[in-house]
Amino acid sequence: ELTWHNLKKYLPRLSGKRVLDLGGGTGYWALRLAKSGYEVALVDISQQMIEAARRKAEQAGLSNRITFLKSDISDSAHDGIGLPSFPPAHFDLAIAQGDSLSCCANPPRAVKEVARVLKKDGLFIASVDNKFGGLRVFIEQNKIEELEKLVRTGQTHWFTKEKTEQFPLTYFTPDELRKLFIAHGFEVISLIGKPVLPLRPDSRLLENKETFKQLFQLELQLQSEECLLGSAPHLEIAVRKKQ
């Protein structure tokens, strides 16, 4: 609900606009946007995820509105070719939900590639892992060496004991996230925590519809407060391409 509320504020007003869905997975947001009238390109590193999204699009009758591309846009041999299927200034909007920027191999290169394929004044809304959340995890697990690495580099790996399933994760502070986008020609429009209220996803408070509405409205009031961003497990930034 928080993600959709934030996305709706920035969606292009006319249907038929082109949207790039990075790390689109099984197509949750791609299908929702295609159903709203947008032309969507879903990009994901997992072929299995793409095939699942393709099946959903076929079942929903939206195959003609969604294209699919298997790619890690940050892991190309040369900058600027991570999305070779798309020319420069092709998209009106790009989204990266599910912290796909944090999960990719090289976030700065990914942001640079998104800037290449976005039109002037095009918007990019992306969620990332909040570094402060990572600090809490390592403290709770008594992993001081990994805590030191996270503080020093902002990087760790996916939290699983199975090494073959581990992949790099990059955590950001609010200031680091702003600087990343500004360095690649973007203007920051907003930065929110998601969510800032200290609620667990399985909290029973969320089961009551009226309580949910109350908490949702409180979240909307608080999510932009700079002093509360550190309490959120995720950060979400909205930026505009200046040139």
Side-chain angles (χ1 to χ4, degrees), residues 42-48 50 68-72 82-83:
L42 184 153
V43 178
D44 201 275
I45 196 171
S46 167
Q47 189 64 42
Q48 287 182 318
I50 290 173
F68 302 89
L69 177 66
K70 182 180 183 298
S71 176
D72 177 355
L83 294 172

Side-chain angles (χ1 to χ4, degrees), residues 22-176:
L22 297 168
T26 59
Y28 182 89
W29 294 112
L31 267 68
R32 193 162 187 174
L33 291 168
K35 192 178 294 185
S36 299
Y38 299 99
E39 301 294 331
V40 184
L42 184 153
V43 178
D44 201 275
I45 196 171
S46 167
Q47 189 64 42
Q48 287 182 318
M49 292 282 194
I50 290 173
E51 292 307 319
R54 197 191 305 274
R55 288 192 296 271
K56 289 182 180 180
E58 290 172 355
Q59 292 168 3
L62 295 170
S63 297
N64 62 327
R65 289 194 175 274
I66 306 176
T67 58
F68 302 89
L69 177 66
K70 182 180 183 298
S71 176
D72 177 355
I73 65 169
S74 72
D75 199 25
S76 54
H78 304 285
D79 287 349
I81 65 167
L83 294 172
S85 299
F86 306 117
H90 185 71
F91 292 99
D92 302 279
L93 170 72
I95 66 171
Q97 292 299 325
D99 306 325
S100 53
L101 274 183
S102 283
C103 298
C104 74
N106 190 321
R109 183 177 290 167
V111 171
K112 181 178 180 180
E113 178 69 344
V114 173
R116 183 184 72 83
V117 299
L118 266 184
K119 295 178 181 178
K120 183 181 182 298
D121 294 324
L123 300 175
F124 187 18
I125 296 95
S127 72
V128 298
D129 284 309
N130 189 349
K131 183 183 281 187
F132 299 114
L135 300 180
R136 285 193 291 269
V137 170
F138 288 130
I139 288 290
E140 291 169 0
Q141 296 180 354
N142 196 27
K143 295 182 178 180
I144 307 306
E145 290 185 2
E146 294 187 47
L147 175 67
E148 288 180 334
K149 179 184 176 182
L150 179 62
V151 171
R152 186 174 69 255
T153 67
Q155 294 185 327
T156 181
H157 56 74
W158 181 248
F159 299 116
T160 174
K161 294 181 180 179
E162 183 58 52
K163 290 190 176 182
T164 59
E165 297 177 356
Q166 293 177 0
F167 55 85
L169 282 177
T170 302
Y171 285 74
F172 296 87
T173 66
D175 193 47
E176 288 168 345

